[in-house]
Amino acid sequence: MGKKILKNYDFFLLLIIILISAFGVIMVGSSSISGEVTVSALFSNQVFIKQLVWALAGGAVMILLSLIDYSEWQRFQIPIYIFSLALLTLVIFKGSSAGGAQRWIAIGKLFKLQPSELAKVAIIITLSATMAKEGRNLERLTGLILPLLHVAVPMLVIFMQPDLGTSLIFVAITGAILLVAGTSWLHLAIMGVSGAIGSVLAFLFVLKPYQKTRLIIFRDPWQDPYHYGWQIIQSKVAIGSGQFRGRGLFKGTQTQLDFLPAKNTDFIFSVIGEELGFLGASIFLLIYVFMILRILRVATAAKDNFGRYICVGVAAMLSFQLLVNVGMTISIMPVTGLPLPLISYGGSSFLTTMISLGLVLSVAAHSDTSLF
């Protein structure tokens, strides 16, 4: 079995993941240090050290998961779903708040777990298991009731935290898996229209005024340049000042002088644009897109539908977050607070991404169904 795993293991995808993760650690360090940059200053910076530890720990978890046959997780569909939902519910009663949202559970003094991040992996596994069951009739709209309810419950809890960005990721994951599973375009269109109507109603009657402002300010951030529009304006200034080649690593003025808010989390792509310029940002995006295409390649070679759906769900999750995160830094998307996977600072986000990529690597490693 060990030889079969090594034979099918996607070492090229593993290399891409390691390179992007290492780049993310470097950019977190670059966005967190001001003044003269030395090796000692870098390794005395707690933000950089934490991200480095998360990268090493996440890498170990990813490799471990890649060696375990992913099909084993199909048996634990119900426990995974219940555990994820329990954590999301616990946030309501025991969660800590920041920035007007209650999304985290404090674990000791050093780490805050964000259950909505883990819920993304949980929903990929459990929805994939649900759709992989034989006998599901997707030609009828009633055949989609169970899968949609399966996703709607945790998605609603996340939306009420409030965490609009993560709840929208659930939509992307669900749509991608349902499409690959054979759902008709008509049914997808009906769900899309229903979702659009629901979004409009939620915007009009559920969201608070400050949440509405955050969502629409991207159209003209100069309406409120010193408050809600400040992040977008500074992000565009940072990216624009990078021009073609960038100001150089650790040399971004908007970053180093702290004009750019959330520079190591939501707006870390702005740091990439300022310090590495159009050239560096373009190369980064090309490599990232290539990683997503490689994941879809693994999906096509998967030995069963469960593995195929997992890969498609992970690809949809990464694609959506990449599109929204980069889009909000250049003011073509609303600011929803979604991190850039493998790049943004944050333990929960990084570990969640590594777990999902570990599952993809497992699909690749266990794609051979031959006995010898």
Side-chain angles (χ1 to χ4, degrees), residues 33-66:
I33 296 178
S34 300
E36 185 179 357
V37 178
T38 62
V39 175
S40 60
L42 191 62
F43 280 90
S44 62
N45 183 275
Q46 287 196 3
V47 173
F48 173 78
I49 293 298
K50 284 184 179 181
Q51 190 72 0
L52 179 61
V53 170
W54 287 328
L56 294 174
V61 170
M62 177 185 68
I63 292 175
L64 177 62
L65 287 174
S66 70

mmCIF file of all heavy atoms in Angstrom, residues 33-66:
data_model
loop_
_atom_site.group_PDB
_atom_site.id
_atom_site.type_symbol
_atom_site.label_atom_id
_atom_site.label_comp_id
_atom_site.label_asym_id
_atom_site.label_seq_id
_atom_site.Cartn_x
_atom_site.Cartn_y
_atom_site.Cartn_z
ATOM 1 N N ILE A 33 6.442 43.996 10.132
ATOM 2 C CA ILE A 33 7.663 44.603 10.657
ATOM 3 C C ILE A 33 7.829 46.005 10.095
ATOM 4 O O ILE A 33 7.665 46.233 8.898
ATOM 5 C CB ILE A 33 8.885 43.748 10.302
ATOM 6 C CG1 ILE A 33 8.779 42.385 10.980
ATOM 7 C CG2 ILE A 33 10.170 44.438 10.705
ATOM 8 C CD1 ILE A 33 9.912 41.459 10.648
ATOM 9 N N SER A 34 8.141 46.938 10.961
ATOM 10 C CA SER A 34 8.424 48.315 10.553
ATOM 11 C C SER A 34 9.866 48.656 10.904
ATOM 12 O O SER A 34 10.428 48.119 11.852
ATOM 13 C CB SER A 34 7.471 49.300 11.252
ATOM 14 O OG SER A 34 6.127 49.015 10.930
ATOM 15 N N GLY A 35 10.440 49.544 10.125
ATOM 16 C CA GLY A 35 11.812 49.948 10.391
ATOM 17 C C GLY A 35 12.809 49.019 9.722
ATOM 18 O O GLY A 35 12.490 48.307 8.768
ATOM 19 N N GLU A 36 14.026 48.997 10.245
ATOM 20 C CA GLU A 36 15.091 48.186 9.667
ATOM 21 C C GLU A 36 14.781 46.699 9.838
ATOM 22 O O GLU A 36 14.446 46.238 10.925
ATOM 23 C CB GLU A 36 16.427 48.515 10.330
ATOM 24 C CG GLU A 36 17.605 47.790 9.706
ATOM 25 C CD GLU A 36 18.920 48.157 10.364
ATOM 26 O OE1 GLU A 36 18.906 49.016 11.268
ATOM 27 O OE2 GLU A 36 19.945 47.576 9.979
ATOM 28 N N VAL A 37 14.907 45.962 8.760
ATOM 29 C CA VAL A 37 14.576 44.543 8.778
ATOM 30 C C VAL A 37 15.855 43.721 8.873
ATOM 31 O O VAL A 37 16.740 43.812 8.022
ATOM 32 C CB VAL A 37 13.793 44.139 7.509
ATOM 33 C CG1 VAL A 37 13.500 42.647 7.534
ATOM 34 C CG2 VAL A 37 12.509 44.931 7.410
ATOM 35 N N THR A 38 15.958 42.948 9.937
ATOM 36 C CA THR A 38 17.060 42.016 10.120
ATOM 37 C C THR A 38 16.490 40.644 10.459
ATOM 38 O O THR A 38 15.302 40.508 10.773
ATOM 39 C CB THR A 38 17.994 42.472 11.252
ATOM 40 O OG1 THR A 38 17.252 42.509 12.480
ATOM 41 C CG2 THR A 38 18.573 43.864 10.966
ATOM 42 N N VAL A 39 17.335 39.640 10.414
ATOM 43 C CA VAL A 39 16.887 38.282 10.738
ATOM 44 C C VAL A 39 16.408 38.211 12.173
ATOM 45 O O VAL A 39 15.380 37.596 12.481
ATOM 46 C CB VAL A 39 18.028 37.270 10.494
ATOM 47 C CG1 VAL A 39 17.606 35.872 10.955
ATOM 48 C CG2 VAL A 39 18.414 37.244 9.021
ATOM 49 N N SER A 40 17.145 38.869 13.079
ATOM 50 C CA SER A 40 16.757 38.851 14.497
ATOM 51 C C SER A 40 15.433 39.583 14.715
ATOM 52 O O SER A 40 14.600 39.153 15.521
ATOM 53 C CB SER A 40 17.857 39.484 15.349
ATOM 54 O OG SER A 40 18.084 40.836 14.955
ATOM 55 N N ALA A 41 15.231 40.693 13.980
ATOM 56 C CA ALA A 41 13.969 41.429 14.102
ATOM 57 C C ALA A 41 12.809 40.601 13.584
ATOM 58 O O ALA A 41 11.715 40.617 14.154
ATOM 59 C CB ALA A 41 14.068 42.747 13.328
ATOM 60 N N LEU A 42 13.059 39.858 12.509
ATOM 61 C CA LEU A 42 12.015 39.028 11.924
ATOM 62 C C LEU A 42 11.593 37.915 12.890
ATOM 63 O O LEU A 42 10.409 37.686 13.118
ATOM 64 C CB LEU A 42 12.506 38.434 10.612
ATOM 65 C CG LEU A 42 11.469 37.742 9.716
ATOM 66 C CD1 LEU A 42 10.411 38.731 9.263
ATOM 67 C CD2 LEU A 42 12.152 37.117 8.501
ATOM 68 N N PHE A 43 12.598 37.244 13.472
ATOM 69 C CA PHE A 43 12.290 36.122 14.348
ATOM 70 C C PHE A 43 11.930 36.547 15.770
ATOM 71 O O PHE A 43 11.630 35.696 16.605
ATOM 72 C CB PHE A 43 13.462 35.138 14.367
ATOM 73 C CG PHE A 43 13.498 34.236 13.174
ATOM 74 C CD1 PHE A 43 14.194 34.610 12.026
ATOM 75 C CD2 PHE A 43 12.806 33.034 13.172
ATOM 76 C CE1 PHE A 43 14.222 33.788 10.912
ATOM 77 C CE2 PHE A 43 12.817 32.212 12.062
ATOM 78 C CZ PHE A 43 13.530 32.584 10.926
ATOM 79 N N SER A 44 11.964 37.832 16.040
ATOM 80 C CA SER A 44 11.460 38.318 17.323
ATOM 81 C C SER A 44 10.052 38.891 17.192
ATOM 82 O O SER A 44 9.452 39.306 18.184
ATOM 83 C CB SER A 44 12.401 39.400 17.884
ATOM 84 O OG SER A 44 12.460 40.523 17.008
ATOM 85 N N ASN A 45 9.537 38.890 15.960
ATOM 86 C CA ASN A 45 8.188 39.383 15.716
ATOM 87 C C ASN A 45 7.187 38.258 15.953
ATOM 88 O O ASN A 45 7.238 37.211 15.304
ATOM 89 C CB ASN A 45 8.073 39.895 14.268
ATOM 90 C CG ASN A 45 6.722 40.494 13.966
ATOM 91 O OD1 ASN A 45 5.792 39.784 13.627
ATOM 92 N ND2 ASN A 45 6.612 41.805 14.095
ATOM 93 N N GLN A 46 6.260 38.451 16.884
ATOM 94 C CA GLN A 46 5.349 37.383 17.277
ATOM 95 C C GLN A 46 4.388 36.986 16.164
ATOM 96 O O GLN A 46 4.029 35.805 16.035
ATOM 97 C CB GLN A 46 4.555 37.807 18.525
ATOM 98 C CG GLN A 46 5.376 37.812 19.787
ATOM 99 C CD GLN A 46 4.508 37.847 21.044
ATOM 100 O OE1 GLN A 46 3.284 37.806 20.951
ATOM 101 N NE2 GLN A 46 5.144 37.921 22.192
ATOM 102 N N VAL A 47 3.948 37.960 15.368
ATOM 103 C CA VAL A 47 3.034 37.648 14.269
ATOM 104 C C VAL A 47 3.709 36.711 13.268
ATOM 105 O O VAL A 47 3.124 35.708 12.822
ATOM 106 C CB VAL A 47 2.566 38.933 13.567
ATOM 107 C CG1 VAL A 47 1.753 38.610 12.322
ATOM 108 C CG2 VAL A 47 1.742 39.787 14.522
ATOM 109 N N PHE A 48 4.945 37.010 12.918
ATOM 110 C CA PHE A 48 5.698 36.167 11.986
ATOM 111 C C PHE A 48 5.919 34.780 12.563
ATOM 112 O O PHE A 48 5.722 33.764 11.873
ATOM 113 C CB PHE A 48 7.039 36.817 11.656
ATOM 114 C CG PHE A 48 7.957 35.943 10.846
ATOM 115 C CD1 PHE A 48 7.768 35.779 9.484
ATOM 116 C CD2 PHE A 48 9.004 35.270 11.460
ATOM 117 C CE1 PHE A 48 8.598 34.960 8.739
ATOM 118 C CE2 PHE A 48 9.843 34.450 10.730
ATOM 119 C CZ PHE A 48 9.643 34.290 9.360
ATOM 120 N N ILE A 49 6.317 34.704 13.837
ATOM 121 C CA ILE A 49 6.585 33.416 14.481
ATOM 122 C C ILE A 49 5.323 32.566 14.542
ATOM 123 O O ILE A 49 5.352 31.358 14.264
ATOM 124 C CB ILE A 49 7.156 33.620 15.896
ATOM 125 C CG1 ILE A 49 8.553 34.247 15.828
ATOM 126 C CG2 ILE A 49 7.209 32.316 16.662
ATOM 127 C CD1 ILE A 49 9.574 33.387 15.104
ATOM 128 N N LYS A 50 4.196 33.191 14.901
ATOM 129 C CA LYS A 50 2.937 32.440 14.964
ATOM 130 C C LYS A 50 2.563 31.877 13.601
ATOM 131 O O LYS A 50 2.155 30.716 13.482
ATOM 132 C CB LYS A 50 1.816 33.341 15.483
ATOM 133 C CG LYS A 50 1.847 33.586 16.980
ATOM 134 C CD LYS A 50 0.644 34.419 17.402
ATOM 135 C CE LYS A 50 0.637 34.654 18.908
ATOM 136 N NZ LYS A 50 -0.546 35.454 19.319
ATOM 137 N N GLN A 51 2.706 32.708 12.560
ATOM 138 C CA GLN A 51 2.358 32.224 11.224
ATOM 139 C C GLN A 51 3.295 31.094 10.801
ATOM 140 O O GLN A 51 2.860 30.127 10.150
ATOM 141 C CB GLN A 51 2.425 33.382 10.219
ATOM 142 C CG GLN A 51 1.863 33.054 8.847
ATOM 143 C CD GLN A 51 0.343 32.932 8.837
ATOM 144 O OE1 GLN A 51 -0.312 33.086 9.863
ATOM 145 N NE2 GLN A 51 -0.217 32.642 7.673
ATOM 146 N N LEU A 52 4.562 31.201 11.152
ATOM 147 C CA LEU A 52 5.526 30.154 10.829
ATOM 148 C C LEU A 52 5.160 28.853 11.535
ATOM 149 O O LEU A 52 5.207 27.769 10.932
ATOM 150 C CB LEU A 52 6.930 30.600 11.224
ATOM 151 C CG LEU A 52 8.065 29.600 10.967
ATOM 152 C CD1 LEU A 52 8.169 29.279 9.479
ATOM 153 C CD2 LEU A 52 9.393 30.154 11.494
ATOM 154 N N VAL A 53 4.776 28.950 12.797
ATOM 155 C CA VAL A 53 4.372 27.758 13.559
ATOM 156 C C VAL A 53 3.124 27.142 12.954
ATOM 157 O O VAL A 53 3.028 25.909 12.801
ATOM 158 C CB VAL A 53 4.134 28.123 15.043
ATOM 159 C CG1 VAL A 53 3.482 26.954 15.793
ATOM 160 C CG2 VAL A 53 5.441 28.511 15.710
ATOM 161 N N TRP A 54 2.156 28.001 12.593
ATOM 162 C CA TRP A 54 0.927 27.484 11.969
ATOM 163 C C TRP A 54 1.232 26.814 10.632
ATOM 164 O O TRP A 54 0.622 25.807 10.285
ATOM 165 C CB TRP A 54 -0.083 28.605 11.779
ATOM 166 C CG TRP A 54 -0.716 29.052 13.068
ATOM 167 C CD1 TRP A 54 -0.990 28.281 14.165
ATOM 168 C CD2 TRP A 54 -1.151 30.363 13.391
ATOM 169 N NE1 TRP A 54 -1.559 29.036 15.157
ATOM 170 C CE2 TRP A 54 -1.677 30.322 14.714
ATOM 171 C CE3 TRP A 54 -1.163 31.581 12.721
ATOM 172 C CZ2 TRP A 54 -2.207 31.440 15.352
ATOM 173 C CZ3 TRP A 54 -1.681 32.702 13.348
ATOM 174 C CH2 TRP A 54 -2.196 32.624 14.653
ATOM 175 N N ALA A 55 2.177 27.374 9.887
ATOM 176 C CA ALA A 55 2.536 26.787 8.598
ATOM 177 C C ALA A 55 3.169 25.412 8.783
ATOM 178 O O ALA A 55 2.839 24.463 8.063
ATOM 179 C CB ALA A 55 3.490 27.714 7.847
ATOM 180 N N LEU A 56 4.059 25.293 9.744
ATOM 181 C CA LEU A 56 4.716 24.008 10.003
ATOM 182 C C LEU A 56 3.719 22.989 10.538
ATOM 183 O O LEU A 56 3.703 21.830 10.102
ATOM 184 C CB LEU A 56 5.874 24.201 10.996
ATOM 185 C CG LEU A 56 7.047 25.055 10.490
ATOM 186 C CD1 LEU A 56 8.054 25.287 11.616
ATOM 187 C CD2 LEU A 56 7.716 24.393 9.294
ATOM 188 N N ALA A 57 2.878 23.417 11.491
ATOM 189 C CA ALA A 57 1.871 22.516 12.052
ATOM 190 C C ALA A 57 0.851 22.117 10.988
ATOM 191 O O ALA A 57 0.467 20.946 10.879
ATOM 192 C CB ALA A 57 1.171 23.182 13.232
ATOM 193 N N GLY A 58 0.411 23.112 10.197
ATOM 194 C CA GLY A 58 -0.548 22.819 9.137
ATOM 195 C C GLY A 58 0.024 21.888 8.087
ATOM 196 O O GLY A 58 -0.670 20.996 7.588
ATOM 197 N N GLY A 59 1.304 22.076 7.760
ATOM 198 C CA GLY A 59 1.953 21.195 6.794
ATOM 199 C C GLY A 59 2.010 19.759 7.293
ATOM 200 O O GLY A 59 1.792 18.807 6.528
ATOM 201 N N ALA A 60 2.312 19.596 8.589
ATOM 202 C CA ALA A 60 2.361 18.249 9.176
ATOM 203 C C ALA A 60 0.989 17.586 9.135
ATOM 204 O O ALA A 60 0.862 16.400 8.794
ATOM 205 C CB ALA A 60 2.874 18.331 10.614
ATOM 206 N N VAL A 61 -0.055 18.360 9.467
ATOM 207 C CA VAL A 61 -1.428 17.822 9.436
ATOM 208 C C VAL A 61 -1.814 17.459 8.002
ATOM 209 O O VAL A 61 -2.430 16.412 7.752
ATOM 210 C CB VAL A 61 -2.420 18.852 10.017
ATOM 211 C CG1 VAL A 61 -3.860 18.417 9.779
ATOM 212 C CG2 VAL A 61 -2.165 19.056 11.507
ATOM 213 N N MET A 62 -1.445 18.301 7.050
ATOM 214 C CA MET A 62 -1.767 18.048 5.646
ATOM 215 C C MET A 62 -1.139 16.746 5.165
ATOM 216 O O MET A 62 -1.819 15.911 4.537
ATOM 217 C CB MET A 62 -1.283 19.212 4.780
ATOM 218 C CG MET A 62 -1.506 19.011 3.284
ATOM 219 S SD MET A 62 -0.785 20.350 2.299
ATOM 220 C CE MET A 62 0.974 20.057 2.561
ATOM 221 N N ILE A 63 0.133 16.549 5.453
ATOM 222 C CA ILE A 63 0.819 15.338 5.002
ATOM 223 C C ILE A 63 0.236 14.099 5.677
ATOM 224 O O ILE A 63 0.039 13.055 5.050
ATOM 225 C CB ILE A 63 2.333 15.457 5.277
ATOM 226 C CG1 ILE A 63 2.925 16.548 4.366
ATOM 227 C CG2 ILE A 63 3.036 14.130 5.041
ATOM 228 C CD1 ILE A 63 4.375 16.848 4.623
ATOM 229 N N LEU A 64 -0.071 14.218 6.982
ATOM 230 C CA LEU A 64 -0.675 13.098 7.700
ATOM 231 C C LEU A 64 -2.018 12.705 7.077
ATOM 232 O O LEU A 64 -2.286 11.518 6.845
ATOM 233 C CB LEU A 64 -0.858 13.455 9.173
ATOM 234 C CG LEU A 64 -1.553 12.409 10.047
ATOM 235 C CD1 LEU A 64 -0.734 11.125 10.082
ATOM 236 C CD2 LEU A 64 -1.776 12.940 11.450
ATOM 237 N N LEU A 65 -2.856 13.695 6.805
ATOM 238 C CA LEU A 65 -4.161 13.418 6.202
ATOM 239 C C LEU A 65 -4.030 12.838 4.796
ATOM 240 O O LEU A 65 -4.848 12.026 4.375
ATOM 241 C CB LEU A 65 -4.999 14.697 6.153
ATOM 242 C CG LEU A 65 -5.571 15.192 7.482
ATOM 243 C CD1 LEU A 65 -6.246 16.546 7.296
ATOM 244 C CD2 LEU A 65 -6.569 14.181 8.052
ATOM 245 N N SER A 66 -3.004 13.260 4.078
ATOM 246 C CA SER A 66 -2.822 12.765 2.712
ATOM 247 C C SER A 66 -2.484 11.287 2.674
ATOM 248 O O SER A 66 -2.709 10.616 1.663
ATOM 249 C CB SER A 66 -1.733 13.576 2.004
ATOM 250 O OG SER A 66 -0.446 13.282 2.552
#
